[in-house]
Each structure stands twice: as C-alpha cells, then as structure tokens.
Amino acid sequence: MDTSAFRQKFRSEKIPRNYSGLFHLILNFSFLVFSTLLALSQVFELKVWEIMAIPVTLVLGNLVVFTLHRYPLHRPMPFFGFSYKIHTKWHHRFFTDEKLVFDLTRDFFIVFFPTWIVLGFVFLVLPGIYLLLSPIFSANYVFLTMAMGSFYFLSYEVVHFASHLPEDHFLIKIRFFKFMRDYHKIHHNPKLMRDCNFNIVFPFFDIIFNTYLSPRKQNASSNISS
Ligand SMILES: [Zn+2]
Ligand SMILES: [Zn+2]
C-alpha cells in the first residue's frame, strides 16, 4: 500500500470523526507551557550553581528522547507495544522521506503526542522528578529541572511539528528548523529509520552514539547520484 492509500485508510479508520487537530495542538501546548511556567514561578533568588539544572536537563532530555526513540519506539519490546505501533507502524507509514508533509490539520493526530501522554508527563513524571530530587537538591534546582523538562517536551513537539511542515513554510526559512527538518527527513527513510537520527530537538546523542547521518552529506550524495 503506498503512502497516499495508507493515509486515506488511516484517516477513515483511526482518526475519530470529531477529532480536531487544532484542539489537540492547543491542548498539548497549553499543558506544557503551563507546567513550564508554573515550575519557573517557584524559583526564587537563584544561585549561580543552580543554573546548572538547565544544561543538565537539556542533555538528559536529549538522552531520554534518543533512548526511547531508538528502542521502544522502533523495536517491539515488552510493555511498549503501544509506542511501537503508534510510532513505527503509524507515524512512519503516514510520513516517509518522500512524503514528509501533512495534508490536513486532522493529520495532527499522528504528528503530536497523544494528549494522555502529555497529561501523564505533567501529572506523574514531573511530580516523580520532584519526589526524587527534593531530598538531594535545593528547591530552585528541582523546580528549574521540572521547568526545563517541560520545556524540552514542548521543544520536541515544536521542532517535530516543524519537521513535517512544507519546505516553503516561513518557519523552514529559519536555518535551525531547515536543518532539523532535513535531519528528521533522513530518519523517515524506511530503510534508515531503525539506524539513525533519533534525536528531534538537537542531534547531540546521535553524534555521541555514532548514529548521526548528516543532512549535508545526504544532500551531497543525492546530488551526485542525480
Ligand atoms: Zn516524524
Ligand atoms: Zn522514528
């Protein structure tokens, strides 16, 4: 079945009739913006060392995304059947490197995280981080970690969404988004999706673990072959 036929079938069988892509977008973004701001509002009289929570959380967030994306999202594993299905069987069949752009706002259903995952993050993971870190670190460090964790999730949703926008969209004129889109496009090649470019926000752990395939090299080799 080609991508267009899969999209038609998916829309009629999997996307609920009353689904609104814009509502999905607003809901996910609102929860993540709100939890970022709420955690930030608890930070008072920040000490210099507490700022370390920002780079540490960005790096750990990058590692978490890399690991989840490389393993449970792309390999069938016990307890993670749902994530493999949603990501590999649905997202990667709906979007390939040759057909990377969504057609309708209804397609946001398979672009953004299901809202129940965002709710689980806000109401379970963030309190879990609080309980885990509070006995060890200062309140400012803990709340800054929670704020940056939410912000990282939000950044994932933004950059991943931008990666599925048309190439002539005004956001893709910005070099960073253009680069991340080209990098994610390689990951959507069905032959490469299990091997490379698992990061979404910035390609740090792909470089560390040698799974980084540069869009520049890919463009160069496709120019030579064409
Ligand atoms: Zn994607
Ligand atoms: Zn993937």
Side-chain angles (χ1 to χ4, degrees):
M1 191 190 300
D2 72 0
T3 312
S4 297
F6 178 82
R7 285 186 177 195
Q8 288 298 350
K9 191 170 149 57
F10 186 87
R11 284 183 192 122
S12 65
E13 289 178 6
K14 303 289 183 209
I15 304 179
R17 234 168 242 286
N18 57 359
Y19 169 81
S20 158
L22 285 176
F23 186 63
H24 187 182
L25 180 155
I26 291 168
L27 215 57
N28 281 17
F29 280 45
S30 303
F31 277 112
L32 293 170
V33 169
F34 183 72
S35 57
T36 304
L37 295 179
L38 188 67
L40 273 184
S41 74
Q42 302 305 305
V43 174
F44 301 100
E45 296 176 17
L46 195 66
K47 295 187 182 71
V48 175
W49 75 268
E50 290 169 333
I51 297 172
M52 277 306 288
I54 297 174
V56 168
T57 312
L58 290 180
V59 170
L60 285 179
N62 199 274
L63 178 63
V64 168
V65 166
F66 176 88
T67 309
L68 290 177
H69 193 180
R70 186 173 186 181
Y71 297 106
L73 267 62
H74 274 292
R75 285 161 182 79
M77 291 168 77
F79 309 112
F80 283 98
F82 73 95
S83 61
Y84 178 76
K85 181 179 78 181
I86 293 173
H87 190 75
T88 300
K89 299 210 161 193
W90 292 356
H91 181 69
H92 275 271
R93 287 206 64 194
F94 203 97
F95 298 107
T96 64
D97 56 335
E98 287 174 0
K99 208 163 160 42
L100 193 69
V101 179
F102 56 83
D103 300 315
L104 317 159
T105 56
R106 277 178 71 71
D107 300 344
F108 292 179
F109 183 83
I110 197 64
V111 174
F112 295 115
F113 272 90
T115 302
W116 66 266
I117 291 188
V118 176
L119 291 175
F121 175 81
V122 171
F123 292 107
L124 294 174
V125 175
L126 290 181
I129 291 174
Y130 179 84
L131 291 176
L132 205 71
L133 298 187
S134 296
I136 312 166
F137 296 101
S138 69
N140 276 349
Y141 191 93
V142 176
F143 283 119
L144 208 48
T145 300
M146 291 163 74
M148 289 313 293
S150 287
F151 178 72
Y152 198 93
F153 199 156
L154 181 66
S155 306
Y156 180 109
E157 290 285 60
V158 171
V159 179
H160 185 237
F161 174 64
S163 299
H164 289 284
L165 284 171
E167 214 168 0
D168 58 359
H169 191 276
F170 75 92
L171 259 185
I172 306 305
K173 305 273 182 262
I174 301 168
R175 267 174 97 171
F176 169 75
F177 285 114
K178 162 89 176 117
F179 177 82
M180 290 312 293
R181 184 185 186 277
D182 288 347
Y183 160 83
H184 190 59
K185 185 179 174 179
I186 297 170
H187 174 71
H188 269 278
N189 178 334
K191 293 193 185 105
L192 300 174
M193 68 177 177
R194 282 184 181 80
D195 303 317
C196 69
N197 297 8
F198 298 105
N199 281 133
I200 301 291
V201 182
F202 56 97
F204 186 66
F205 277 96
D206 270 315
I207 294 170
I208 300 281
F209 289 117
N210 207 19
T211 52
Y212 173 72
L213 201 59
S214 163
R216 293 195 182 99
K217 271 192 195 153
Q218 275 294 104
N219 288 342
S221 63
S222 58
N223 284 344
I224 290 163
S225 63
S226 62

